[in-house]
Amino acid sequence: MNAAETQKTADFLKALGEFNRLSLVYELCRCESSQNAMCLCDCCSVDASVVSRHLKVLADRDIVMFDKVGREKTYRLNRNKVATQLRELADLIENEDCKRGHHDV
Amino acid sequence: MNAAETQKTADFLKALGEFNRLSLVYELCRCESSQNAMCLCDCCSVDASVVSRHLKVLADRDIVMFDKVGREKTYRLNRNKVATQLRELADLIENEDCKRGHHDV
DNA sequence: GCTATAATTGCACGATTGTGCAAATATGCA
DNA sequence: TGCATATTTGCACAATCGTGCAATTATAGC
């Protein structure tokens, strides 16, 4: 695991590891269809500008995607990508093969 | 998903979402046996006190466990617990059942 | 007991981060 | 064109966080 990969993974986890951002992810998780940012404001009691910034952090890391419809942006959770990244990390942590000694033989 | 659970999950992800802490986790991941903190210092070039604090953060969240042997503490990764938590989150995010509408019917 | 080593804690500091408010920008609609 | 609404951006500020150094605590071995 090189430093760049480690940093990227840490970045991904840090993006999810903030209360309001995780609340947004959960909120989007419950939605069948895309939700605009104003609607998402309701789930965490902070200013719209804060939600905007949090959504940008999530979008920059491909955790959420958005479509621009007129003056609104509608967001949806990147379910597969997020789930895959979490599972890959889980596999790495649990997998016996990553242990030293096996490789060194 | 209530606020307390969300906060707990965010806390767990935040603990993993820092470069040096994640490096420690990866380092422990590669180890068959427990490693003492001094040995772990080598994997991230920071002061021993910093490693000590990071390990405490990880231990407080059950990400790592330790045994006290004499004046040394030997750490090991809580593989199952960490992997399980990551997979549960992945499942929640991907699972169709969490979507609104399915439950409301 | 004394000394050496492992680990933690107190303290200070700089950097990052989350936040609210106000202003700016973008777009739809009359 | 002018107004209303959605979103972003600039700014300031408080809080959190990661860090190094020095001092402290704990324990092994002589």
Side-chain angles (χ1 to χ4, degrees):
Chain A
M1 194 63 51
N2 66 48
E5 283 180 70
T6 302
Q7 184 63 67
K8 197 149 177 283
T9 303
D11 233 49
F12 167 74
L13 294 168
K14 185 180 287 186
L16 290 175
E18 198 276 332
F19 181 80
N20 283 324
R21 278 197 298 267
L22 190 58
S23 300
L24 286 168
V25 168
Y26 284 153
E27 182 65 24
L28 284 170
C29 190
R30 278 185 231 108
C31 299
E32 282 276 8
S33 55
S34 300
Q35 296 290 314
N36 67 32
M38 287 304 97
C39 164
L40 291 167
C41 280
D42 300 338
C43 86
C44 47
S45 50
V46 289
D47 195 75
S49 66
V50 174
V51 172
S52 172
R53 273 185 266 251
H54 281 323
L55 287 170
K56 178 164 170 47
V57 169
L58 296 173
D60 285 348
R61 284 148 187 84
D62 278 338
I63 293 169
V64 302
M65 304 180 72
F66 61 87
D67 293 302
K68 198 148 194 288
V69 182
R71 65 189 159 190
E72 293 182 6
K73 267 182 171 176
T74 64
Y75 290 85
R76 63 187 188 281
L77 189 54
N78 214 334
R79 294 178 191 272
N80 284 346
K81 180 143 192 180
V82 175
T84 300
Q85 278 191 78
L86 290 170
R87 291 209 185 94
E88 279 175 1
L89 184 57
D91 291 344
L92 177 69
I93 282 172
E94 216 172 31
N95 195 344
E96 302 286 317
D97 295 343
C98 75
K99 292 182 185 171
R100 249 202 297 262
H102 287 253
H103 281 165
D104 291 349
V105 170
Chain B
M1 192 63 53
N2 66 48
E5 283 180 70
T6 302
Q7 183 64 68
K8 196 148 177 282
T9 303
D11 234 49
F12 166 73
L13 294 169
K14 186 181 287 186
L16 291 175
E18 198 274 333
F19 182 80
N20 283 324
R21 277 197 298 269
L22 189 57
S23 300
L24 287 168
V25 168
Y26 283 152
E27 182 65 23
L28 285 171
C29 190
R30 278 184 232 108
C31 300
E32 281 276 10
S33 54
S34 298
Q35 297 290 314
N36 67 30
M38 287 303 101
C39 162
L40 291 168
C41 279
D42 300 337
C43 88
C44 46
S45 50
V46 290
D47 195 76
S49 67
V50 173
V51 172
S52 172
R53 274 185 267 250
H54 280 321
L55 287 170
K56 178 163 170 48
V57 169
L58 295 173
D60 284 348
R61 285 149 187 82
D62 279 337
I63 294 169
V64 302
M65 304 182 72
F66 61 87
D67 293 304
K68 200 147 192 292
V69 182
R71 64 188 159 188
E72 294 182 7
K73 267 181 170 177
T74 63
Y75 290 86
R76 63 186 187 282
L77 188 54
N78 214 332
R79 295 179 190 271
N80 283 346
K81 180 143 192 179
V82 175
T84 299
Q85 278 191 80
L86 290 172
R87 290 208 185 94
E88 279 175 0
L89 183 58
D91 290 344
L92 178 68
I93 282 173
E94 215 172 32
N95 196 343
E96 302 288 317
D97 294 344
C98 75
K99 293 183 186 172
R100 250 201 298 263
H102 288 252
H103 280 163
D104 291 346
V105 170

